């Protein structure tokens, strides 16, 4: 314990929210019944980036500070729906853990763990897959994309991927899941699968899951402002990583695709590159887009890019330094995940045993 206290004092030199690391050696609270329970997860499929941060991770921090019952998962078992290197899976899981702690996720206030360490996820996914119908995925708009992807990538797991995502939620009897307004379909599918199970076995074990719609901006790629910022799409130059160097951030913003239509104006359809830069500026400054556009309208794009680069460096440099420092001690990160695993497994095991009793498996 003394060793960890010394280590944490070192960490606090870099952390903007010292409390996020000062208590990691304590056990996260067990979720209580009858209260709001929030569940969310992120795939460690590459370097965490600005789109992840603005679209989901920053919201995780806000939610965990407001609510006691938050479970945040690193969905490492999800990444095998595409071709990945086992060494990369482990590396990216540790990087994701370090970044989550660096942005302010506090393991005392929430549960942070890897999905693969809680085998109940896979067990429930199988049970749910035997309760849902194959027609459900066909009827729900946009879900057929997984059937198409399963053919493209020749991966059966993609075909039933929505069932696994439902299991990740229902395993903890989540009451709410934070989603963007374009992800409603996943919660709808989850609720229908749960209802199928309840009806088939004449139980009320699963309650409807509600959406926590976030107002997070849909950040676009700097190299192609018509598509979302993604670590898997297009050139890396279009994606701002949360561990990018200051020089690399400046380079990426400087090379961001805009247009040659002169001074800044607001036209999301015809000037998507300009609008994307204004949107990112708005999100980082946490000010309405209207205020940002009023400030920059008529000015040179070069000024906007320079200011945005400074903003991003101010935000990301602290995250990068903190995360990189923690990554030098994998045992430290592993212990944090072990604490989360034990707490998650306690809840998951109890809930799965309840389902086993319903199914006559115990």
């Amino acid at each position: 314990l003394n060793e960890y206290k010394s280590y944490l004092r070192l960490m606090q030199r870099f952390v903007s929210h010292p409390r996020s690391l000062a208590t990691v050696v304590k056990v996260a609270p067990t979720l209580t019944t009858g209260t709001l329970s929030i569940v969310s997860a992120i795939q460690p499929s590459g370097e965490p980036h600005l789109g992840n941060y603005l679209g989901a991770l920053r919201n995780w921090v806000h939610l965990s500070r407001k609510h006691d019952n938050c479970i945040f998962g690193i969905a490492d078992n999800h990444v095998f729906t595409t071709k990945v290197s086992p060494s990369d899976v482990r590396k990216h899981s540790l990087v994701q853990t370090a970044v989550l702690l660096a942005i302010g996720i506090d393991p005392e206030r929430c549960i942070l763990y890897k999905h693969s360490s809680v085998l109940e996820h896979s067990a429930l996914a199988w049970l749910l897959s035997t309760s849902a119908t194959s027609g459900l995925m066909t009827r729900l708009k946009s879900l057929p994309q997984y059937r198409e992807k399963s053919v493209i990538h020749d991966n059966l797991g993609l075909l039933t991927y929505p069932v696994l995502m439902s299991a990740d939620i229902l395993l903890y009897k989540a009451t709410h899941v934070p989603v963007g307004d374009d992800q409603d379909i996943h919660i709808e599918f989850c609720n229908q699968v749960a209802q199928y199970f309840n009806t088939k076995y004449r139980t009320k074990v699963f309650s409807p899951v509600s959406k926590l719609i976030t107002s997070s901006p849909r950040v676009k790629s700097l190299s192609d402002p018509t598509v979302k910022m993604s670590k898997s799409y297009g050139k890396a130059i279009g994606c701002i990583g949360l561990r990018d160097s200051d020089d690399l951030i400046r380079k990426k913003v400087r090379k961001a695709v805009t247009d040659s239509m002169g001074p800044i104006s607001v036209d999301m359809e015809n000037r998507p590159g300009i609008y994307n830069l204004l949107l990112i500026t708005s999100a980082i400054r946490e000010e309405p887009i209207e205020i940002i556009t009023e400030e920059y309208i008529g000015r040179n794009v070069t000024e906007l890019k320079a200011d945005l680069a400074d903003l991003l460096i101010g935000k990301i440099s602290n995250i990068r330094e903190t995360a990189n420092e923690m990554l030098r001690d994998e045992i430290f990160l592993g212990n944090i995940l072990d604490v989360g695993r034990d707490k998650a497994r306690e809840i998951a095991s109890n809930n799965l045993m309840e389902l086993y009793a319903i199914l006559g498996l115990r």
Side-chain angles (χ1 to χ4, degrees), residues 30-191:
T30 301
L31 298 190
T32 55
T33 57
T35 58
L36 184 145
S37 174
I38 298 171
V39 171
S40 191
I42 184 170
Q43 277 197 41
S45 54
E47 283 285 334
H49 58 77
L50 184 67
N52 298 142
Y53 176 73
L54 295 178
L57 303 185
R58 182 169 65 177
N59 191 44
W60 284 15
V61 176
H62 296 328
L63 289 172
S64 64
R65 290 175 180 169
K66 185 177 181 181
H67 304 286
D68 292 331
N69 296 346
C70 292
I71 302 180
F72 299 131
I74 296 173
D76 52 341
N77 55 353
H78 288 212
V79 302
F80 295 101
T81 52
T82 58
K83 294 181 179 180
V84 293
S85 164
S87 60
D88 284 343
V89 175
R90 183 179 185 280
K91 171 188 171 184
H92 292 153
S93 294
L94 288 173
V95 168
Q96 189 69 70
T97 303
V99 167
L100 287 172
L101 295 172
I103 67 173
I105 291 295
D106 183 346
E108 187 188 36
R109 290 202 52 83
C110 64
I111 293 176
L112 177 63
Y113 75 109
K114 292 194 302 181
H115 281 192
S116 63
S117 66
V118 180
L119 301 181
E120 287 82 357
H121 282 264
S122 300
L124 181 55
W126 168 250
L127 295 178
L128 293 178
S129 69
T130 64
S131 301
T133 65
S134 57
L136 177 58
M137 290 181 64
T138 303
R139 290 196 301 275
L140 292 182
K141 185 179 179 181
S142 90
L143 282 180
Q145 66 172 300
Y146 293 105
R147 184 172 62 251
E148 296 165 3
K149 288 181 179 179
S150 71
V151 175
I152 295 172
H153 295 283
D154 193 22
N155 191 302
L156 183 61
L158 279 166
L159 189 62
T160 58
Y161 187 57
V163 179
L164 176 60
M165 289 192 288
S166 297
D168 295 338
I169 297 168
L170 297 174
L171 182 59
Y172 300 98
K173 295 188 177 180
T175 61
H176 293 76
V177 175
V179 295
D181 56 11
D182 60 337
Q183 298 172 309
D184 288 9
I185 191 67
H186 296 293
I187 305 304
E188 183 182 348
F189 180 84
C190 177
N191 281 331

Side-chain angles (χ1 to χ4, degrees), residues 11-24:
M11 288 288 90
Q12 287 171 17
R13 291 195 291 114
F14 300 97
V15 181
S16 57
H17 303 289
R19 192 172 181 276
S20 67
L21 285 177
T23 55
V24 295

